[in-house]
Amino acid sequence: MSTLEIKGLVASVAGKQILNGIDLTVRSGEVHAIMGPNGAGKSTLSAVVMGKPGYEVHAGEVLLDGVDLLGLPTWQRAQAGMHLVMQYPSEVAGVGLADMLAEAYQARGRSAATLEAEVSDEAGRINFATALLDRALNVDLSGGEKKRNETLQLGVLSPSIAILDELDSGLDIDALRDCARRVEAATNESNLGVLAITHYVRLLEELKPDVVHILAGGRIVKSGGPELADELERDGYAAFV
C-alpha cells in the first residue's frame, strides 16, 4: 500500500504563483480526478510533483509513503514509485522502447529477463501495434500511438502512483477506451493509485473515479463523487471560479 500526500503546496513558474495551497491525498487503488478551467494549475501540479525544472516551491510538502519527494531529483521520484503519463510525450531519437525500459528495470533492481514478453503482453492489451515496438521512443508516432506507448510503459513498470496529465488529449474513442481501461485494470491488479487530470467526462466513463476535485485559482475548491463531473459537464465552471 502506498500513499501520496500533498500538503499546503504553493508553487510558481516564471515568477508567477500558480499553486496557492494544494491539499490532496491519493492512496493505492484509488482514482482521483482533477478537473478545472485552463490556467487553473492542473499541469503545474503534475510538473511540481514530478520535479520538472523551472518550477519553484515556496511552501508545502509532497510525500510518498512518508518520503519527501521535493528533495529528490525526478529520476529518484520515479524510482520511489511515481509515474507521469505526459500530455505531450517526448520523442527521443536513437533510444528504443525496450532499451529505455531495460534501463528503468536495472535502476529499480529488477531483472529484465522477461521484459520482452511483458512488453508484448502489454502491447496486446492496449492494441498497440507490435511493429511500432522497435521504433525509437515515440518517433514518427501519431498522437494516439504515443499515448498507447505511454500507457504500455505504465503497465510494464507498475508504479505505485501514476499521474495522468490529460491522457485523453488527442485520442480517438478506441484509443481512449483502450488506455483508460488498462489504467483502471491496474488499480485492481497492482493496486495502482491514480491522479487523473482531465477536462472531459468521457475519460471518467472508462476510468472510474473515486473522488473528483475541482481546481480553480490554484486551489481545490470542491471535492465530491463522480456526480461532480456530471455537474461540471452540465453547468460548467462558472460557479466555482
Side-chain angles (χ1 to χ4, degrees):
M1 296 290 290
S2 289
T3 302
L4 173 67
E5 298 176 275
I6 303 172
K7 302 179 180 180
L9 187 61
V10 178
S12 63
V13 60
K16 181 179 181 181
Q17 187 166 305
I18 304 296
L19 303 182
N20 297 306
I22 300 291
D23 295 287
L24 185 64
T25 300
V26 180
R27 298 178 178 87
S28 293
E30 295 179 348
V31 176
H32 289 245
I34 291 188
M35 306 182 75
N38 291 329
K42 302 183 300 297
S43 291
T44 295
L45 177 61
S46 70
V48 170
V49 171
M50 293 304 300
K52 184 176 180 179
Y55 292 80
E56 184 177 359
V57 176
H58 303 287
E61 296 179 298
V62 179
L63 307 173
L64 179 63
D65 300 330
V67 176
D68 178 16
L69 295 183
L70 296 179
L72 302 177
T74 299
W75 65 272
Q76 287 186 350
R77 300 183 198 200
Q79 278 190 344
M82 296 297 302
H83 187 93
L84 174 65
V85 172
M86 294 181 285
Q87 181 179 3
Y88 304 109
S90 299
E91 296 187 5
V92 186
V95 177
L97 173 64
D99 294 331
M100 183 275 291
L101 289 172
E103 288 293 328
Y105 265 36
Q106 182 178 0
R108 290 162 171 76
R110 294 167 58 180
S111 170
T114 61
L115 178 58
E116 183 176 355
E118 292 173 27
V119 170
S120 179
D121 177 65
E122 286 294 337
R125 292 188 67 170
I126 60 172
N127 294 309
F128 185 64
T130 55
L132 302 177
L133 295 176
D134 295 327
R135 295 266 188 96
L137 192 62
N138 288 324
V139 173
D140 294 330
L141 299 188
S142 69
E145 289 166 346
K146 289 178 180 179
K147 293 297 180 72
R148 289 183 195 267
N149 201 357
E150 291 277 294
T151 305
L152 180 151
Q153 294 166 43
L154 185 152
V156 170
L157 293 174
S158 190
S160 301
I161 303 289
I163 300 175
L164 314 180
D165 190 2
E166 299 195 31
L167 172 66
D168 48 344
S169 176
L171 292 186
D172 62 31
I173 190 63
D174 291 328
L176 172 64
R177 184 180 295 117
D178 289 339
C179 293
R181 288 181 177 178
R182 178 63 187 98
V183 176
E184 174 67 23
T187 66
N188 297 306
E189 296 173 5
S190 60
N191 224 12
L192 175 71
V194 177
L195 184 60
I197 296 167
T198 184
H199 282 290
Y200 304 110
V201 172
R202 63 175 189 162
L203 174 67
L204 306 183
E205 292 171 354
E206 302 293 345
L207 181 62
K208 309 299 184 182
D210 298 287
V211 185
V212 174
H213 307 278
I214 299 175
L215 181 62
R219 292 185 174 88
I220 293 176
V221 296
K222 188 171 183 178
S223 298
E227 68 281 355
L228 184 54
D230 296 328
E231 181 182 337
L232 284 174
E233 184 80 356
R234 183 183 66 247
D235 301 332
Y237 293 112
F240 305 101
V241 176

